[in-house]
Amino acid sequence: MTTRPHPVDHELIEAAAHIARTRCHGDNHTMAAAARAQDGRIVTAVNAYHFTGGPCAELVLIGTAAAQGAYELDTIVAVGDRDRGVVPPCGRCRQVLLDYFPTLKVIVGTGDSVRTVVITDLLPESYVWADHQLDAGEGE
């Protein structure tokens, strides 16, 4: 069975690239992320690097989106500073994105091979945190 490819949201890539160019200065902010909410809004964020493991741009974006009332995201992309282009989410971000938004689309790839995939394609045979939680009151 062949799955139909998802269109690439080039406006989203440009929004993240713009933030990377204009807001990522120095070693503390080197990645930008942009996501399209279900209502069409674009939310952006940058990472907050810290030697203790500060959050990636995708994780900062989840909080930023919630603060703006955007609780359902459709598509996300991360872009590196210094014109590094689209950067795929790290393993931690993949897991968090899957747990928060199990149908989220993620833009990955470089140059002419940029494509949009569902988060589950980036984590085959995934551990889904919600599937392993005990129901409230179980075992009492």
Side-chain angles (χ1 to χ4, degrees):
M1 175 169 71
T2 318
T3 59
R4 193 178 73 169
H6 300 283
V8 173
D9 189 336
H10 291 283
E11 183 182 18
L12 204 57
I13 296 170
E14 182 48 43
H18 174 73
I19 295 299
R21 279 192 306 274
T22 60
R23 302 291 187 248
C24 291
H25 299 289
D27 293 339
N28 292 332
H29 308 292
T30 59
M31 293 291 298
R36 187 171 301 277
Q38 290 289 335
D39 65 8
R41 284 183 289 164
I42 293 178
V43 179
T44 59
V46 298
N47 71 313
Y49 175 79
H50 189 265
F51 74 91
T52 61
C56 297
E58 296 94 332
L59 300 185
V60 174
L61 189 134
I62 291 171
T64 300
Q68 295 177 14
Y71 297 101
E72 296 298 325
L73 300 181
D74 180 69
T75 307
I76 193 168
V77 65
V79 172
D81 67 346
R82 295 169 281 143
D83 295 318
R84 289 183 287 149
V86 173
V87 177
C90 73
R92 176 179 66 171
C93 287
R94 291 174 191 214
Q95 184 67 53
V96 173
L97 291 170
L98 172 69
D99 288 334
Y100 271 77
F101 312 105
T103 62
L104 182 69
K105 294 184 286 292
V106 183
I107 300 173
V108 296
T110 58
D112 292 337
S113 66
V114 171
R115 63 197 182 285
T116 303
V117 299
V118 179
I119 188 68
T120 52
D121 290 348
L122 296 178
L123 281 170
E125 304 292 328
S126 301
Y127 172 88
V128 179
W129 183 79
D131 292 345
H132 298 278
Q133 301 311 299
L134 296 176
D135 291 339
E138 187 176 303
E140 290 181 8

